[in-house]
Amino acid sequence: MATTLADEPRQDFGAHGGATHDVTNQPPPLTPYDASEDTALLEGLRREGGGWAEGELRRVGRLAGSAQVQEWSDQANRHEPELRTHDRYGNRVDEVEFHPSWHHLMGAAVAEGLAAAPWADDRPGAHVVRTAKGLVWGHTEAGHGCPTSMTYAAVPALRRQPELAEVYEPGLTSREYEPGLRVPAGKRGLLAGMGMTEKQGGSDVRTNTTSAAPTAEPGVYTLRGHKWFTSAPMCDVFLVLAQAPGGLSCFLVPRVLPDGTRNTFRVQRLKDKLGNRSNASSEPEFDGTVAWLVGPEGQGVKTIIEMVNCTRLDCVMMSAALMRKTLVEAGHHARHRSAFGARLVDQPLMRNVLADLALESEAATTLTLRLAGAADRAVRGDAGEAAFRRIATAVGKYWVTKRGPAFTAEALECLGGNGYVEDSGMPRHYREAPLLSIWEGSGNVNALDVLRALGRDPATAQALFEELALTRGADARLDAAVAGLEDQLAEGSQAGARRLVERMALTLQGSLLVRHAPSAVADAFCATRLGGDWGHSFGTLPAAAGLDAIVGRALPDAG
Ligand SMILES: Cc1cc2nc3c(=O)[nH]c(=O)nc-3n(C[C@H](O)[C@H](O)[C@H](O)COP(=O)(O)OP(=O)(O)OC[C@H]3O[C@@H](n4cnc5c(N)ncnc54)[C@H](O)[C@@H]3O)c2cc1C
């Protein structure tokens, strides 16, 4: 006779049915933690002239690592922005609605001076402080770093048209976040975006087709055309490239005109992106859109490059922040998870992985702060630092952002399966990483920009080699790398640009670490990245490397 399930004897799980769900050997939550607890960062801050803000940085670090802010970061990505093109009556509104957590993050970031506040701060080191805070605040959520970065970067470009800067700069440099489309001059705080990329070309903006027709009022034009990418479309003002009678020019486009009417800014749709999902990236169209000329007609690229110089530094900063955040997560997991009878952090091979990641992270952080120091001194008139900044920012943007995806993938793997699950936050960081090497000049474009700088301005190469000369004789592998670089420079071919820029970046990072990091860090970096004693993945440091010292410096709790 056939039996049914109902006939089967029942197993008695007794009162301990819940025992199947005991949670053991899982790490406790990382939060709350202090995201500024990073020796390399604090040393760099002091060295580059921002030590006066150490207290502020520590406060931002505790805020960034708080459970509340980490929750906002997660929520802002889960609840993506929504575009409302029309109201219920059919009128165009072109507004994007964000989850409250986005606004909380924006409010905190602007209040901490992560938008354009340093331009209103005369203290030497103000730009270094902003970058250091960005490294720490980067432990939260990367998407909202887009509008704060563009707002920071818009100011030097806008200053090319002083009467416009006079009107808009106070709002852009404000520490108040006031969302909503209103007349910019009446708002307590403003945000700026940029519109360069069009369907037919992003890197090659000379192909821009958006046209700018002069009106009867001097300096005022009307735009017609489209942009293929314009992020953060709820910003108050945008710097936009368009073809004027005198050639490609830069314009200021406010979303609301001084008389309170809406400027024409049709948001056709939002991009469905790999990552960066809290941030809205839009495709706007202009039709009779009122715009003010910034800088001379025909000098659009020269004007907007002032903005790009700053956003490129922020790409380096955000990549370094992603590295540090994912390293901290990996170290925390490895400290609390055991396998094969020992904590992961005590397993020699995991220690090698963590040490290798720590080296990469410190090299990225140290370079970021050196670039920020150069920017700070350049804007205060130091010509040598301006030349160094010109070349080293492009070098850093190429290399540090290129390392981001491989780094975050490896850090994610340290968490095993947990790292592949959204709850851990690691997939979000992993998805963000490739973006930083795409926008503000993709990898090839940055590498070619280094060749351009070398070709057009010999002071840039001189500034770089003067910096590298500071460590002459300190490490044979570094000396050999510098000598090799000098030979390679002479070649200067486009096909070899990545090879050259990669070597420049590694040599510069090696030199900075030899000067400023403990010998275990500098030695392991030079042995692997310059001396070639390394494999093709992270965790392949040579046996002689001081793994404990490297891990202990980066992750004191894991030492
Ligand atoms: C999420 C997101 C947000 C963005 N937000 C904005 C924004 O707010 N405002 C804005 O203006 N743009 C924005 N962009 C656009 C971004 O800056 C461009 O996508 C980027 O500059 C590359 O341009 P492109 O997409 O037209 O690619 P292309 O210019 O077509 O480049 C494609 C590839 O070719 C390479 N390449 C280009 N020229 C050369 C060459 N001479 N030699 C060798 N290789 C070359 C590039 O490196 C790249 O790998 C955003 C992009 C993304 C993904």
Side-chain angles (χ1 to χ4, degrees):
M1 193 176 89
T3 56
T4 66
L5 278 178
D7 301 325
E8 294 282 324
R10 294 283 165 95
Q11 230 178 314
D12 181 11
F13 290 105
H16 300 292
T20 58
H21 198 71
D22 275 354
V23 179
T24 60
N25 198 24
Q26 290 280 351
L30 171 62
T31 54
Y33 74 104
D34 181 350
S36 68
E37 194 59 58
D38 176 355
T39 308
L41 166 74
L42 294 170
E43 289 176 359
L45 174 78
R46 292 177 208 130
R47 196 167 53 238
E48 299 297 341
W52 49 266
E54 197 167 325
E56 281 179 48
L57 186 80
R58 302 309 299 240
R59 191 193 60 236
V60 176
R62 287 189 293 275
L63 189 62
S66 67
Q68 175 67 87
V69 169
Q70 292 293 318
E71 191 185 335
W72 289 341
S73 305
D74 177 58
Q75 285 174 344
N77 276 271
R78 284 183 197 274
H79 305 282
E80 295 178 19
E82 284 179 18
L83 172 63
R84 280 182 61 232
T85 51
H86 297 80
D87 69 11
R88 58 186 286 203
Y89 306 106
N91 302 302
R92 283 208 76 115
V93 289
D94 301 294
E95 292 200 15
V96 179
E97 288 171 357
F98 292 88
H99 189 264
S101 52
W102 165 270
H103 294 296
H104 295 320
L105 289 167
M106 284 295 300
V110 173
E112 292 297 349
L114 287 163
W119 297 108
D121 188 342
D122 287 340
R123 286 175 291 182
H127 295 272
V128 176
V129 171
R130 176 186 174 275
T131 303
K133 284 185 179 175
L135 286 167
V136 165
W137 194 248
H139 285 232
T140 63
E141 194 282 325
H144 77 290
C146 172
T148 54
S149 175
M150 292 192 294
T151 303
Y152 171 64
V155 170
L158 200 54
R159 284 182 178 177
R160 293 197 159 225
Q161 201 65 43
E163 74 278 10
L164 290 179
E166 203 177 307
V167 175
Y168 293 101
E169 204 174 307
L172 294 170
T173 56
S174 158
R175 286 178 183 245
E176 281 196 65
Y177 172 59
E178 190 189 330
L181 296 180
R182 282 182 281 287
V183 179
K187 289 183 74 177
R188 295 190 308 276
L190 299 176
L191 295 172
M194 70 157 97
M196 296 195 288
T197 310
E198 296 189 359
K199 296 182 187 76
Q200 71 285 350
S203 311
D204 188 1
V205 291
R206 294 169 308 176
T207 64
N208 272 194
T209 58
T210 296
S211 62
T215 66
E217 197 179 329
V220 183
Y221 293 64
T222 54
L223 306 188
R224 191 159 195 284
H226 70 274
K227 292 291 164 185
W228 185 232
F229 276 97
T230 296
S231 289
M234 288 303 285
C235 286
D236 300 282
V237 293
F238 293 81
L239 291 184
V240 172
L241 289 182
Q243 301 286 359
L248 192 64
S249 310
C250 180
F251 294 90
L252 178 95
V253 174
R255 288 218 48 188
V256 179
L257 294 169
D259 66 4
T261 57
R262 289 276 178 100
N263 208 355
T264 304
F265 194 105
R266 292 188 199 122
V267 182
Q268 300 297 94
R269 58 175 175 164
L270 299 184
K271 303 286 193 187
D272 182 8
K273 298 173 288 184
L274 168 68
N276 193 252
R277 298 191 76 91
S278 67
N279 182 28
S281 297
S282 74
E283 297 170 18
E285 288 190 0
F286 308 123
D287 192 4
T289 303
V290 184
W292 279 258
L293 182 66
V294 181
E297 256 194 31
Q299 292 199 17
V301 173
K302 211 171 171 187
T303 304
I304 213 158
I305 207 76
E306 295 280 353
M307 186 169 186
V308 174
N309 277 337
C310 293
T311 50
R312 281 187 180 168
L313 170 60
D314 279 6
C315 289
V316 185
M317 170 189 91
M318 290 184 214
S319 284
L322 279 180
M323 288 184 191
R324 178 69 195 169
K325 166 65 173 167
T326 53
L327 172 65
V328 168
E329 294 278 2
H332 178 75
H333 187 87
R335 210 162 54 243
H336 294 281
R337 175 85 167 178
S338 296
F340 301 99
R343 291 188 312 160
L344 288 175
V345 74
D346 296 325
Q347 301 279 10
L349 188 50
M350 180 57 91
R351 224 164 169 73
N352 197 326
V353 173
L354 291 172
D356 212 353
L357 292 173
L359 277 186
E360 194 72 28
S361 172
E362 176 155 357
T365 297
T366 304
L367 178 56
T368 304
L369 289 166
R370 175 68 187 93
L371 296 176
D376 195 86
R377 292 182 279 276
V379 301
R380 290 170 217 289
D382 185 327
E385 286 291 85
F388 177 80
R389 174 199 192 197
R390 168 69 186 90
I391 193 160
T393 305
V395 168
K397 160 74 164 91
Y398 173 77
W399 182 242
V400 177
T401 65
K402 238 342 124 216
R403 298 295 286 157
F407 186 108
T408 47
E410 193 65 60
L412 179 157
E413 190 176 317
C414 291
L415 275 68
N418 285 5
Y420 202 70
V421 174
E422 293 289 340
D423 287 347
S424 71
M426 298 299 260
R428 171 159 63 83
H429 305 310
Y430 177 64
R431 285 194 295 266
E432 190 71 25
L435 174 57
L436 295 161
S437 72
I438 293 177
W439 61 12
E440 308 310 319
S442 305
N444 288 354
V445 170
N446 261 278
L448 294 173
D449 189 44
V450 173
L451 291 191
R452 193 173 308 114
L454 291 169
R456 286 194 186 162
D457 186 359
T460 58
Q462 193 187 330
L464 181 69
F465 281 104
E466 277 173 12
E467 173 94 5
L468 297 176
L470 296 173
T471 41
R472 189 179 294 137
D475 184 290
R477 296 155 300 193
L478 182 55
D479 286 346
V482 176
L485 207 51
E486 277 163 339
D487 294 342
Q488 222 186 326
L489 270 192
E491 194 191 317
S493 77
Q494 286 201 17
R498 280 188 179 225
R499 199 175 155 85
L500 170 68
V501 175
E502 181 173 320
R503 298 227 169 136
M504 281 175 148
L506 290 171
T507 310
L508 180 55
Q509 286 184 322
S511 167
L512 288 168
L513 294 180
V514 165
R515 276 164 71 197
H516 307 303
S519 58
V521 172
D523 187 56
F525 190 92
C526 290
T528 52
R529 276 70 167 171
L530 300 178
D533 190 4
W534 202 29
H536 292 282
S537 58
F538 286 105
T540 52
L541 296 181
L547 302 184
D548 290 349
I550 298 167
V551 173
R553 173 171 165 85
L555 304 165
D557 293 344

